[in-house]
Amino acid sequence: MTTNLNGITLQFHDVGRGPALLLLHAFPLSGEMWRPQLDALGADYRVIVPDLRGFGGTDAPSPDGSMRDLAADCLELLNHLGVERFVLGGLSMGGYVAFEILRQVALDRVTGLLLCDTKPGADTDDARANRLAMAEKALDEGPLPIAEMMIPKLLGETSRAERPEVVRAVRGLIEANSGAGIAAGQRAMAARPDSTPLLPTLRMPALVIVGEEDELASPSDTQAWATKLAHGALHIVPRAGHLPNMEQPETFNATLWPWLNRLNES
Ligand code: MLT
């Protein structure tokens, strides 16, 4: 589905019926990375998955992205769909967008928070410089070299050795993006603020999930910041890297689904 909002055409999935769950994707993928959750959770939940600005089927009108725009697009999509209260979920870059949404929205609209393979801190100067260099490369050379660089970081060693179909799927999602969209995403992430001070202010139940083999957001780093959440629970997914929802979807869904059910019972 597509809709026009905030001066762009935004593509999204809106699947199932029940309490709303907004899922935000990682860099440099698209909403399609949530396919295993769209297929499973729609039985009980309304799963809303946008392609963030610059990714998948959503326009990137400017090569200079901002987290504020990505978050504003998501909130405008929820308004368009008539969704007031929702569970907010994001994986990696999707988590950065979730932190920005939490700054923009009345917090009582967010009934639960799902944060996967992400981190609240801002970039170091070195990390920021690397992002800006990757943005230039994406603009000059397109998505193929970006896929080569990112796949070993996104997928854990188990998936790279044993799950060629997951490697192919991730490569396909990256290569379907434009260099301009990838550049805008990197520039938006490079400019993001430190969200660590936000953590103790969040009172909603939170589920934090991380892949055991994640080298971009390690389980030990994740554990350190997750303790700052008032009502947070941490779950580590074995044999998965940075994309546990794609690498080990059964384990991921078996963690997420009962947590969602408990949220909606209370
Ligand atoms: C992602 O998976 O969204 C990226 O690895 C996030 C990042 O580059 O910080």
Side-chain angles (χ1 to χ4, degrees):
M1 268 175 274
T2 61
T3 184
N4 296 322
L5 51 79
N6 296 346
I8 59 168
T9 300
L10 184 134
Q11 180 165 291
F12 64 99
H13 300 281
D14 178 10
V15 169
R17 280 165 171 251
L21 168 64
L22 177 69
L23 292 176
L24 306 176
H25 65 81
F27 170 91
L29 305 178
S30 69
E32 196 55 31
M33 70 159 257
W34 292 109
R35 173 54 52 198
Q37 289 67 48
L38 282 161
D39 288 347
L41 298 169
D44 290 340
Y45 292 93
R46 181 176 183 185
V47 189
I48 299 167
V49 175
D51 287 346
L52 296 169
R53 188 182 277 236
F55 297 93
T58 297
D59 294 349
S62 147
D64 293 314
S66 93
M67 281 296 143
R68 208 167 297 157
D69 286 345
L70 297 182
D73 294 342
C74 296
L75 287 171
E76 193 52 35
L77 174 64
L78 293 179
N79 289 343
H80 166 74
L81 298 176
V83 172
E84 176 63 20
R85 286 161 66 78
F86 58 102
V87 174
L88 172 59
L91 191 148
S92 199
M93 178 179 74
Y96 310 157
V97 178
F99 289 128
E100 185 58 37
I101 288 177
L102 290 164
R103 275 191 282 275
Q104 293 188 19
V105 81
L107 289 180
D108 61 1
R109 288 183 61 193
V110 181
T111 55
L113 183 60
L114 168 70
L115 293 170
C116 310
D117 303 86
T118 192
K119 43 185 179 272
D123 281 346
T124 61
D125 288 345
D126 280 355
R128 202 169 292 128
N130 287 339
R131 287 194 193 284
L132 300 180
M134 192 195 280
E136 291 303 319
K137 190 171 182 71
L139 283 173
D140 288 348
E141 300 176 36
L144 270 60
I146 307 302
E148 287 309 315
M149 292 163 77
M150 290 302 297
I151 284 172
K153 298 181 183 172
L154 292 173
L155 294 173
E157 56 182 353
T158 304
S159 301
R160 280 181 277 131
E162 299 176 13
R163 305 284 311 275
E165 74 287 3
V166 178
V167 179
R168 261 196 310 278
V170 170
R171 182 183 298 282
L173 295 182
I174 299 174
E175 291 183 356
N177 287 322
S178 67
I182 291 171
Q186 275 295 27
R187 289 171 176 162
M189 290 192 286
R192 77 189 190 284
D194 180 11
S195 296
T196 313
L198 193 63
L199 298 179
T201 71
L202 302 173
R203 314 306 300 176
M204 69 288 282
L207 175 63
V208 179
I209 298 182
V210 65
E212 178 187 40
E213 300 170 2
D214 190 344
E215 290 175 8
L216 292 175
S218 73
S220 58
D221 288 352
T222 304
Q223 192 155 25
W225 65 255
T227 57
K228 297 190 168 72
L229 292 162
H231 304 289
L234 172 66
H235 188 91
I236 297 174
V237 178
R239 297 168 59 78
H242 194 59
L243 301 174
N245 73 302
M246 294 183 79
E247 295 176 73
Q248 297 293 342
E250 291 83 9
T251 312
F252 186 93
N253 290 349
T255 305
L256 176 56
W257 210 325
W259 178 77
L260 288 171
N261 291 344
R262 279 197 301 279
L263 267 188
N264 289 289
E265 278 158 18
S266 54

